[in-house]
Amino acid sequence: MKFLSIDNQSSIDDKPSLLSRITIAVLVVATTLLIVYALPRKVAEKYAFGEEIINKPWANERIISDEDFPVFKSDEKLRRDSAELRKIYKCAYQKNMNIGETAIKDFNTAVENDTTGVLKVYQSSIVRILHSIYDRGIMSMEERDKVLRDFSDSIIIYTDKYGVPENINDLPKVTELYDRLFLDDELTQHKDELEKFNLNNYVRPNLIYEETTNESRLRDLYSGIAPTTGSVSVNEKIVDRGEIVSEDIYQKIDSYYKKKGEKEKDDDASMQNTLIGQSLFVLLFVLLYTYYLKIYRNDYFQKPRKLLMLYLMIVVFSLIVSFMVRRILLSVYIIPFAIVPMITRVFLDARTAIMTHATTIIIASVAVSGQYDFVIIEMAAGIAAIYKLGDMSKRSNLFHAAMAATVCAFVVYYALEVMQTKQLRVADDSRFFHLAVSGICLLLAYPLMYVIENAFGFLSKITFYELSDTNQPLLRALSEKAPGTFAHSTTVGNLAAEIAKRIGADPLLVRTGALYHDVGKMENPAFFVENQAGFSPHSRLTEKESAKVIIGHVEKGLKLAEKSGLPDVIKGFIVSHHGKGMTNYFYVKYKNAHPKEEVDPALFSYPGPNPETKEQAILMMADTVEAASKSLDEYTDETISKLVNELIDRQVNEGFYHDCPITFHDIAVAKQVLIERLKSIYHTRVKYPEEQKPQ
């Protein structure tokens, strides 16, 4: 018996076959090649002039701009802007209380070792002053000078998680211990004696520079520096022949050539470098995605159709982005990226939906300008869609998911704009229109589901809800021809669904399979005890003939399922709900009637196979227990518990569950659910008193 987690994944130690490895390699390589081939490639331009032309006359022809473009700041200007921001930045420091405690402990040790007894007299006063200094915080002189030179004279001192602003000039210096000591009139009188002990040895810096925090905050601070100083409009003069090139004019000229790319044609080396970078980037994220599947969804590697769908979605949406960027068609925000997690969530699972969406967005961002905004907006929209698709019992949930994704994208875009522009009013309202169009396109997920179902053979939860509708022709026929079997199937479905909920299986799948598992009985309903009304036609048949009729309901059910077009996953419940078990009643009866004959067990055995999924195993347990519970003479806690444990333990011992991913813990939970539910079904009724008639 395999032991797996409740999300039905295969053991991560299972090594894929050679064919699986080849399939994985082909998918990874093909995905990377297709995406990289389509990505737009821009080569950085170099110029034939530099800053040496500043303050000199422009020797070339007058330049008139033929388009709008931004004017980029020079490197020196960016450095000055960065320095100005640093001057208002408050560095973060962590106060290390252990340093002060260690220093005071060292001082107390020195007091104990002092043979003169001088320190002992002033010990309490000195310790008190040391405590006050360490409580304020001590910074080394080198660190102090560096901060005052490069940053604001204010810092943030953190003690644990709480930060307090302090001015560096208000903090005690390392050399201030003597100054503090001799503010005390009593200690001042003994200054000469105390100076012999060099008390500064016990004043040590306890403010530690928070390198990670400061680097992160400085990066955020620098990211707010505008790279441009303005813009140039179409038909605006940039520079005239003979005009002195100031720093501002130089930046306009430099930005103009960066925009137009007229100073240098794309060369092969630059193109190759760009191609190498893009290839490494895409390959890395495709490999990371594949590694995620290997660890958390290893069972997908045994189902190539699932892998093909996942990688195909990544490729298709990346190609669409590249095509739109290269052709300068509309905005990439019109593309309904949230379809990726919606489709993955419907057919697979939420975790894979998030990972697939994240991989698609990150890879697609290579082709998009404003990558930060693009990734944040699309990721938020996709997560909102996944959240709203938690319950697929209604078709309207797809509409709700599309609405949630669109609203979330609106809010995130607006928030980013407010943070970046410091304005409550958004300057570019067209982005809202693009996101709204994307939200409308998300409704394509519904017809796309049917395309994927037919192309890849998947089943959505909506399909299961449709199949479990008792107005389906096959179920309606079962309820009319074999009402006892229909009632049995309904009860088994409810029991199995409850077990599935408790052990992490798919309750909707197992309930749907339970409704159809005995449809073959409606061909000869009277031969099955739940449909009999006092007379059993088996009395006219031999044990072998009876066993053949009973076993035949599996084959008949499979034929009816094929005729009705039921999916393969439902057919699996029909053929496996008895596994390779036997019709024990007729087998034992025949053996008793023919004690000297060697009986062939195959004549009394179901063809199988045994359950291969957790849901099929649940159905076998629920079906066996529910049917057998009808034979109990009395319904008590003891009789029900004994029945459930004996039946399921026998199935375990006979190996019915060796081929499916169910654990002993799952089986124990299933037993408990069955016992609880059967007690509720067969609860003891109150005996009504009889009215006594007068004699």
Side-chain angles (χ1 to χ4, degrees), residues 9 26 157 183 218 222 236 255 283 326 332-333 400 409 462 552 593 618 644 652 692:
Q9 69 191 49
V26 170
I157 299 177
L183 290 176
L218 285 171
Y222 294 153
E236 180 180 340
S255 300
L283 179 61
R326 277 189 160 183
V332 293
Y333 288 96
H400 294 157
I462 292 177
I618 292 170
V644 171
V652 171
Q692 295 181 355

Side-chain angles (χ1 to χ4, degrees), residues 5 7-12 288-301 349 351-352 355:
S5 67
D7 49 4
N8 294 335
Q9 69 191 49
S10 298
S11 170
I12 60 176
L288 288 174
Y289 179 70
T290 305
Y291 192 60
Y292 155 77
L293 294 176
K294 177 67 178 69
I295 295 177
Y296 295 105
R297 291 293 179 264
N298 196 23
D299 56 313
Y300 290 177
F301 290 103
D349 61 273
R351 182 190 288 181
T352 303
M355 291 301 300

Side-chain angles (χ1 to χ4, degrees), residues 418-453:
V418 171
M419 288 190 294
Q420 293 168 2
T421 64
K422 316 300 182 187
Q423 302 283 336
L424 292 178
R425 183 179 177 276
V426 177
D428 184 12
D429 294 334
S430 63
R431 182 72 58 80
F432 286 116
F433 172 75
H434 297 150
L435 294 174
V437 173
S438 174
I440 295 172
C441 292
L442 287 178
L443 298 177
L444 294 173
Y446 188 75
L448 189 60
M449 282 170 50
Y450 289 100
V451 175
I452 292 177
E453 283 186 353

Side-chain angles (χ1 to χ4, degrees), residues 467-470 472-479 486 515-516 519:
L467 289 174
S468 61
D469 184 355
T470 54
Q472 287 286 337
L474 195 56
L475 293 180
R476 190 168 61 249
L478 178 63
S479 66
F486 179 77
L515 290 174
Y516 289 93
V519 290

Side-chain angles (χ1 to χ4, degrees), residues 92-119:
Y93 283 83
Q94 182 72 37
K95 185 187 294 182
N96 190 329
M97 304 303 295
N98 293 331
I99 294 177
E101 293 173 0
T102 302
I104 293 172
K105 183 178 179 181
D106 292 342
F107 172 74
N108 290 330
T109 302
V111 171
E112 294 174 2
N113 296 332
D114 177 29
T115 57
T116 66
V118 174
L119 291 179

Side-chain angles (χ1 to χ4, degrees), residues 394-414:
K394 299 177 182 177
R395 299 173 188 270
S396 61
N397 285 345
L398 282 171
F399 174 76
H400 294 157
M403 284 293 296
T406 305
V407 171
C408 188
F410 280 175
V411 173
V412 172
Y413 168 62
Y414 178 73

